[in-house]
């Protein structure tokens, strides 16, 4: 009867250091509690794997911890047989408890059998707008006939009655005081005042009472065509006690000849408060919030009908049949029947709809707890969905639905119900999860396996305080715990990069999502998180090593997404990317500021004229500082000596002061040029030595002559001054002699010393 549904065997784990963490990792994860399962230095993470993998590694079958999902019957009465009994059972089982392994679905069978004599409650809800006047006359007489027909089918039936029109506000109803009292045409003598919804008769098996109560009803009226049908349905559904709904098949017959108002229409009358989905009947059984609450939405009606297990039958005229067929699609377990002009066929319509609804079984659930999902397989064994459906089920026919329940995460005890729509009988399901291992270890805080500093729990050591390590071998009492943990941080970052556990200052790396281990001194490396191409790691053309793709021969790129090829990178010169970049994925990746498809241009680069001056001097004129090692120092330049340049890119002086003119044209690569050097340099002319020497001598002679003349002039002026002084002091008798000496001086026959001597002698002689 019960089937345990296992998912495909796999165990996806990331950080697992205990049995509890293992079984929470996935439904296929199993824990090995054998204390000798791990090798020295091997992480306890290897204890968590699939059952087959652990057995293959040598874990004994008896040491595997794999908590199964299970079910316990709380209430499991058999389905009713034969004629109607007091306590009919149509659903089996009635209450169960599920202990589920997270992520592992568990399936069981739910049986259902329509019991003969199962009671029916039918509430007739009628539109009493004036257009339904003829229909009301026929309904007054149908109560006894309808009850008899239903009792022929089920053996037990009850019937009730209610009526509705619309909200008594403009624009739905004429609010003139007289019109509110009598909304019918003047010729109508019997007319009910305008109203929204009125409950007339609770469910009863007394046909005469139904006939009497309905016969007292009078027609009413409103303004617009749509009616307040949804307002009335909400009150019938929520007022369980007032209506008298019992443990039965619940039918609600809505008889109308027009459409319906829905949520939002109330704003036309200034009603802003939404429908509160609660019973609001006053002492006169009138809907007291009709003019205060908006109409309910179709979604609210569908949810409430399903919640209360009420199946609506829309008995409508032909003109609105399509409208209600669309409405029926939104409400499970509902049907639409077309009334004749005066509703004379309403009994047959209801009986046919009941037979159709009761033979179509839809199994579903109420609101599910968080992280719990439920699916069903139909009685014909069709694919699972969120509802179990079985059509054309006869009375006494047993059908079976396969119910699958799954808890995706660990949860506490939760409860929900499952059952067929339209029936009050439900299966109560209590569900909880198995998220803790139940190991058979005896607690011993001084286990030899744990160096007497801990106890064995599910095969691993649970260390005493102040001790760490796989075998409790590390005592933090001898070292500063902060210092130990600092050793596990790379550049003061996260401990073991968040991918491992720090034990005694050493990172014990976790497993990756794929089952391999992180590695590196700080668990910084793994071989699963490289760049992908076409949803394949390293494009399927390489290996992931520490977060980088190592491509196979013939492939390249950050994700090994390209085949090696330089076809698109070959320049006209035959070089790859002009020697100024790398060819990756058949495209040039330029370097050094170069741009273009093949790195042909550099907009920011300038010609190295001045830097090339010494090389131009040695290449073109065999001189300069590089003369002795010119080929070695200037190999990046290819020279051409030309007689004439059309243009001169560069003009540089050499060591001799001559101007060298040349052009530079880039070659492939960096700093490689072809240079055209003008054969002739522009040198300044040498000095005229003869002219310089002659001019220098002439200048010296001229300066010497001028100096002599200057000296002579100075001496003459001085002598002239002395002479005049002497002449003023001489006597007349000395005149002739003085003039004689003066003339001698004038002609240069003596000097002033001789003159003075001669004058002195003459004066001396004359005195004697």
């Amino acid at each position: 009867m019960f089937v345990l549904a296992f998912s495909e065997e796999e165990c996806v784990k990331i950080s697992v250091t205990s049995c509890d963490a293992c079984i929470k990792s996935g439904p296929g994860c199993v824990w090995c509690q054998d204390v000798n399962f791990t090798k020295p230095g091997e992480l306890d993470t290897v204890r968590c794997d699939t059952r087959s993998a652990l057995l293959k590694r040598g874990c004994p079958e008896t040491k595997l911890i794999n908590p199964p999902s299970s079910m316990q019957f709380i209430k499991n009465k058999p389905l009713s047989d034969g004629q109607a009994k007091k306590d009919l059972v149509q659903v089996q089982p009635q209450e169960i408890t599920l202990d589920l392994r997270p992520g592992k679905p568990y399936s069981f069978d739910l049986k259902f059998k329509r019991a003969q004599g199962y009671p029916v409650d039918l509430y007739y809800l009628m539109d009493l707008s004036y257009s339904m006047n003829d229909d009301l006359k026929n309904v007054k007489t149908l109560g006894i006939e309808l009850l008899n027909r239903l009792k022929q089918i089920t053996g037990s039936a009850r019937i009730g009655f209610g009526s509705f029109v619309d909200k008594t506000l403009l624009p739905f109803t004429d609010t003139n005081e007289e019109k509110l009292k009598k909304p019918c045409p003047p010729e109508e003598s019997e007319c009910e005042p305008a109203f929204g919804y009125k409950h007339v008769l609770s469910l009863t098996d007394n046909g005469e009472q139904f006939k009497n109560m309905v016969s007292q009803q009078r027609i009413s009226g409103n303004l617009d065509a749509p009616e307040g049908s949804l307002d009335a349905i909400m009150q019938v559904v929520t007022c369980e006690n007032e209506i008298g709904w019992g443990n039965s098949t619940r039918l609600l017959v809505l008889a109308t000849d027009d459409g319906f108002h829905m949520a939002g229409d109330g704003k036309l009358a200034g009603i802003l408060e939404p429908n509160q989905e609660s019973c609001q009947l006053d002492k006169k059984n009138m809907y007291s919030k009709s003019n205060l609450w908006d109409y309910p939405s179709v979604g609210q009606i569908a949810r409430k009908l399903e919640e209360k297990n009420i199946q609506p039958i829309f008995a409508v005229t032909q003109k609105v049949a399509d409208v209600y067929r669309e409405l029926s699609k939104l409400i499970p377990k509902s049907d639409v029947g077309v009334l004749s002009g005066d509703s004379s066929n309403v009994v047959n319509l209801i009986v046919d709809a009941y037979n159709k609804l009761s033979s179509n079984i839809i199994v579903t659930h109420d609101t599910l707890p968080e992280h719990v999902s439920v699916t069903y397989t139909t009685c014909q064994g069709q694919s699972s969905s969120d509802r179990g459906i079985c059509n054309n089920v006869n009375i006494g026919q047993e059908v079976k639905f396969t119910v699958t329940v799954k808890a995706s995460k660990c949860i506490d005890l939760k409860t929900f119900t499952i059952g067929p729509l339209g029936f009050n009988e439900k299966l109560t399901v209590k569900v909880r999860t198995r998220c803790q291992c139940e190991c058979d270890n005896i607690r011993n805080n001084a286990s030899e396996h744990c160096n007497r500093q801990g106890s064995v729990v599910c095969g691993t050591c649970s260390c005493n305080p102040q001790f760490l390590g796989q075998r409790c071998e590390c005592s933090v009492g001898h070292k500063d715990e902060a210092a130990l943990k600092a050793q596990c941080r790379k550049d003061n970052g996260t401990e073991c990069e968040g991918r491992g556990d720090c034990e005694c200052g050493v990172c014990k790396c976790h497993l990756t999502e794929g089952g391999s281990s992180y590695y590196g001194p700080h668990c910084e490396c793994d071989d699963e998180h490289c760049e992908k191409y076409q949803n394949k790691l390293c494009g399927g053309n390489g290996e992931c090593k520490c977060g980088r793709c190592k491509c196979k021969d013939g492939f390249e790129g950050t994700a090994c997404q390209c085949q090696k090829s330089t076809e698109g990178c070959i320049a006209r010169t035959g070089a790859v990317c002009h020697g100024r970049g790398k060819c990756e994925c058949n495209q040039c990746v330029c370097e050094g500021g170069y741009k273009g498809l093949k790195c042909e241009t550099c907009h920011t680069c300038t010609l190295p004229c001045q830097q090339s001056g010494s090389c131009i001097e040695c290449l073109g004129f065999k001189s300069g500082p590089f003369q002795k090692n010119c080929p070695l120092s200037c190999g990046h330049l290819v020279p051409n000596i030309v007689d004439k340049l059309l243009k001169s890119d560069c003009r540089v002086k050499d060591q001799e002061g001559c101007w060298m003119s040349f052009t530079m044209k880039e070659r492939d690569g960096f700093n490689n040029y072809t240079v055209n050097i003008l054969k002739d340099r522009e040198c300044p002319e040498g000095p005229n030595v003869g002219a310089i020497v002659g001019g220098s001598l002439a200048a010296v002679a001229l300066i010497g002559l001028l100096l002599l003349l200057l000296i002579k002039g100075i001496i003459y002026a001085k002598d002239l001054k002395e002479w005049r002084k002497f002449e003023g002091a001489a006597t007349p008798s000395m005149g002739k002699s003085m003039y004689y000496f003066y003339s001698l001086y004038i002609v240069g026959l003596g000097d002033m010393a001789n003159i003075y001597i001669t004058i002195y002698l003459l004066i001396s002689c004359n005195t004697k």
Side-chain angles (χ1 to χ4, degrees), residues 623-636:
S623 60
F626 293 161
Q627 182 178 1
K628 294 182 179 180
N629 59 346
C630 192
L632 182 63
S633 300
C634 304
H636 62 289

Side-chain angles (χ1 to χ4, degrees), residues 611-620 623 625-639 667 671-673 675:
Q611 299 90 321
S612 303
S614 296
C615 284
I616 295 298
E617 188 174 355
C618 79
L619 291 172
S623 60
F626 293 161
Q627 182 178 1
K628 294 182 179 180
N629 59 346
C630 192
L632 182 63
S633 300
C634 304
H636 62 289
L637 301 179
V638 177
R667 294 186 295 118
N671 200 31
N672 293 328
Y673 296 90
V675 291

Side-chain angles (χ1 to χ4, degrees), residues 344-419:
S344 59
N345 65 333
V346 68
V347 174
N348 291 331
L349 183 153
I350 293 172
V351 171
D352 292 341
Y354 166 72
N355 288 329
K356 181 180 178 181
L357 290 173
S358 58
S359 64
N360 295 334
I361 308 302
I362 300 176
V363 174
T364 187
H365 48 264
D366 61 0
T367 304
L368 294 174
E370 191 175 7
H371 307 307
V372 175
S373 62
V374 179
T375 58
Y376 305 87
T377 300
T378 63
C379 61
Q380 289 84 12
Q382 297 175 358
S383 59
S384 61
S385 65
D386 59 350
R387 293 175 182 268
I389 300 175
C390 196
N391 296 323
N392 302 317
V393 178
N394 297 320
I395 294 176
Q397 178 184 351
E398 180 180 313
V399 292
K400 186 188 299 183
F401 299 90
T402 300
V403 183
T404 301
V405 183
K406 183 173 76 171
S408 59
K409 294 184 179 180
C410 295
I411 60 172
D412 296 327
L413 183 65
K414 303 293 182 182
T415 302
F416 63 96
T417 61
I418 297 174

